[in-house]
Amino acid sequence: MNTLLAVDIGGTKTLLELSSLQGEVLVEQKLDSQQYDSFDLLLSEFLTQEEVKQHTIVSACFGVAGPVVGKQAVVTNLPWTLDANDLAQQFSIEHVHLCNDFEAVGYGIACLKEGEILVLQQGEPDLSRPKAVIGAGTGLGQALMFPENEAWKVVATEGGNVDFAPTDQKQILLLEHMMERFGHVSYERIISGAGLVTIYDFLRGYEQRDEDAALRQAMIDGDPAAAISEFALKHENELAIEALDMFIKIYGAQAGNLALSVIPMAGLYLAGGIAAKNIERFQEAGFMDAFRAKGKMVHLVEKIPVYVILQPKVGLLGARLLAQQSVV
């Protein structure tokens, strides 16, 4: 049977999906990216499974968390490089397309169903104008979308790596703290899973706060960013709440920066697991207040629709759509 392969490659996990040419999902798997020295080793493990081997892959799309130039891509937070021609030859796939993971997210928005998007700001939607998408996870992705022939043309960016601009005195101290550690401080250093942990550790030291032993143990035993979020939302830990709220405020400010750069009157979308998993906190004032705090441009950003994508596989949906287009 001829099939499509869609892959969403992240710095923490990689999602792989084998589907029919019509988009019916046949096999889906999540693998730990950091357990593999290269992408081809991960892909080989997936393709050698019995339920996958019986099918012929005619088109594949790999959404990569990193810059894509021509037929080559580099994963930002892993020592992986991908070459479309090499992958096509090695795995006997007729069509191989590489795209930035947030390009795939942008295309995946068209595949979302009712109930998979939540409105943070209704705004005044105008579908003749651009869209934009931003999303925090292992890193910070951004993409632009422009109306084209009754569809959307998605343009990937590396806007998550622009310089961090603090908006209050405590954020200035955070910047100084991070400059000592990293030199260059981008928004991705802060608006990411690792960034939430950095904010938490900064606040703990800066405010000389006692730490909850159970929270520290949870950070050691599992995903430290997820532990901070959990203790903020479920255990009402004051330090975790302050860290998450500072994170959300900075996230809102950068989303507002993107909005001013693009003026996405057709909608600005938040993707990535952090927003969806902490949706109650994002619905409170901090995010949208920071988004709108743009001085004389406040009346403009108030008109921009803002949405949260609740579907965690939106990048995979977009990669499948791009794979389909290669065989139409």
Side-chain angles (χ1 to χ4, degrees), residues 231-305:
F231 273 70
L233 298 173
K234 296 181 180 178
H235 301 282
E236 298 185 353
N237 178 278
E238 289 186 6
L239 183 57
I241 290 171
E242 187 176 355
L244 184 58
D245 285 352
M246 180 182 252
F247 174 94
I248 289 171
K249 184 176 180 180
I250 295 171
Y251 196 165
Q254 174 58 0
N257 291 340
L258 176 60
L260 286 179
S261 299
V262 185
I263 314 183
M265 296 307 300
L268 183 139
Y269 293 78
L270 304 186
I274 291 177
K277 291 174 183 175
N278 297 282
I279 193 62
E280 298 90 349
R281 212 74 188 173
F282 275 76
Q283 288 176 298
E284 294 176 4
F287 182 89
M288 289 310 305
D289 282 351
F291 178 86
R292 299 184 191 112
K294 298 303 178 188
K296 60 187 178 182
M297 289 292 112
V298 61
H299 298 299
L300 174 61
V301 293
E302 284 177 342
K303 296 178 181 179
I304 295 173

Side-chain angles (χ1 to χ4, degrees), residues 180-200:
E180 290 178 2
R181 289 187 59 188
F182 303 113
H184 178 255
V185 183
S186 67
Y187 274 98
E188 181 171 278
R189 287 281 189 194
I190 299 170
I191 311 171
S192 60
L196 177 57
V197 178
T198 298
I199 292 173
Y200 173 85

Side-chain angles (χ1 to χ4, degrees), residues 79-232:
W80 289 5
T81 59
L82 287 74
D83 184 289
N85 292 334
D86 291 347
L87 290 167
Q89 182 175 6
Q90 182 178 350
F91 296 104
S92 301
I93 302 172
E94 186 177 352
H95 300 283
V96 171
H97 178 69
L98 301 181
C99 68
N100 175 269
D101 61 334
F102 265 72
E103 182 181 347
V105 168
Y107 283 110
I109 288 173
C111 306
L112 294 174
K113 300 174 183 176
E114 187 176 351
E116 294 181 337
I117 296 176
L118 182 143
V119 178
L120 286 184
Q121 176 168 278
Q122 190 68 43
E124 299 176 9
D126 179 354
L127 295 180
S128 70
R129 303 289 296 280
K131 294 181 180 180
V133 58
I134 182 172
T138 305
L140 178 65
Q142 295 183 186
L144 316 178
M145 304 170 64
F146 302 95
E148 181 180 82
N149 300 326
E150 300 184 3
W152 293 91
K153 172 66 177 177
V154 184
V155 178
T157 82
E158 287 298 331
N161 291 293
V162 301
D163 302 337
F164 167 54
T167 59
D168 61 33
Q169 192 62 42
K170 194 173 288 186
Q171 289 183 27
I172 290 172
L173 295 172
L174 172 65
L175 173 60
E176 292 173 348
H177 167 77
M178 296 187 72
M179 285 177 69
E180 290 178 2
R181 289 187 59 188
F182 303 113
H184 178 255
V185 183
S186 67
Y187 274 98
E188 181 171 278
R189 287 281 189 194
I190 299 170
I191 311 171
S192 60
L196 177 57
V197 178
T198 298
I199 292 173
Y200 173 85
D201 288 336
F202 159 73
L203 291 173
R204 181 171 54 86
Y206 168 69
E207 298 179 350
Q208 304 270 305
R209 300 276 285 273
D210 292 331
E211 184 175 33
D212 186 318
L215 171 52
R216 176 52 64 178
Q217 192 59 50
M219 292 172 68
I220 293 169
D221 292 343
D223 180 340
I228 293 167
S229 295
E230 180 183 352
F231 273 70

